[in-house]
Amino acid sequence: MLVFLLHGVNTKTVQYADSLPDLIKEEFQKNNSPLPFFYSGFWGDNLKGTHAIWREIYQELHRKKTQNPNFNPDIAFRYQKFREVYFSEFLGDTFTYLNSENGKKIRNVIVQQFNDFLNTYSQEKEVHFIAHSLGTVILWDVLFSDQKSKMLCHLLQ
């Protein structure tokens, strides 16, 4: 049995799911069942570019302040740091994935990782997917988009 894990937004390391396989293995051992093989698919390192957006925002706020000394960026754009973290780390991942080129690159990475996983354990016939958050959307796109579903069907045969 193969278990392919796929993370959601704001995941920066491949170790995101290290504890989940351990918990699942414990349950399998309690039932004296053969242990599955796990693979943590990872696409989080493919997301870049949100810092450039924030640089532009801060430059625009500075420009407005230069033009009008009464302009207060803290009032005009409240909770700047919170918004920067939230948008960059959560929504930024989503918007970056929704860009057609970035999304295609991420889907290609996932298909390649899955292919490597299948090739490593080619004797295994059962595959399970565990996905979270945006990882679920990515998995859906990989499984059901015409191009990727054909590729996956070929891999699974």
Side-chain angles (χ1 to χ4, degrees), residues 35-62:
L35 298 179
F37 299 99
F38 292 89
Y39 188 95
S40 297
F42 185 65
W43 52 268
D45 56 347
N46 287 281
L47 302 173
K48 298 173 180 81
T50 55
H51 297 294
I53 294 168
W54 289 102
R55 186 180 63 242
E56 295 293 325
I57 291 170
Y58 287 123
Q59 285 177 348
E60 179 63 18
L61 291 171
H62 178 72

Side-chain angles (χ1 to χ4, degrees), residues 10-149:
N10 195 28
T11 302
K12 305 302 181 213
T13 69
V14 73
Q15 291 81 19
Y16 67 90
D18 283 355
S19 61
L20 182 58
D22 293 338
L23 293 171
I24 294 172
K25 286 176 185 177
E26 281 179 31
E27 292 302 314
F28 273 73
Q29 287 171 335
K30 287 179 188 175
N31 297 323
N32 292 321
S33 300
L35 298 179
F37 299 99
F38 292 89
Y39 188 95
S40 297
F42 185 65
W43 52 268
D45 56 347
N46 287 281
L47 302 173
K48 298 173 180 81
T50 55
H51 297 294
I53 294 168
W54 289 102
R55 186 180 63 242
E56 295 293 325
I57 291 170
Y58 287 123
Q59 285 177 348
E60 179 63 18
L61 291 171
H62 178 72
R63 186 185 65 75
K64 287 190 176 287
K65 177 72 174 164
T66 303
Q67 290 174 345
N68 179 359
N70 295 324
F71 176 77
N72 186 339
D74 294 330
I75 292 173
F77 191 49
R78 294 175 193 241
Y79 313 112
Q80 291 177 29
K81 287 299 174 191
F82 170 77
R83 290 176 188 212
E84 182 175 352
V85 169
Y86 182 74
F87 285 122
S88 295
E89 295 181 1
F90 292 93
L91 294 178
D93 285 1
T94 302
F95 288 128
T96 301
Y97 174 72
L98 292 175
N99 172 282
S100 59
E101 286 184 34
N102 292 334
K104 182 178 178 181
K105 181 179 176 185
I106 290 167
R107 289 187 297 277
N108 286 338
V109 164
I110 295 305
V111 168
Q112 184 59 53
Q113 291 173 358
F114 185 64
N115 186 31
D116 293 345
F117 186 42
L118 288 177
N119 287 333
T120 302
Y121 300 101
S122 58
Q123 76 284 2
E124 296 296 320
K125 302 298 179 203
E126 188 175 338
V127 178
H128 296 264
F129 294 97
I130 300 174
H132 173 70
S133 184
L134 185 57
T136 306
V137 174
I138 295 168
L139 180 61
W140 179 269
D141 288 348
V142 168
L143 291 173
F144 297 107
S145 70
D146 290 337
Q147 179 187 15
K148 294 296 178 236
S149 64

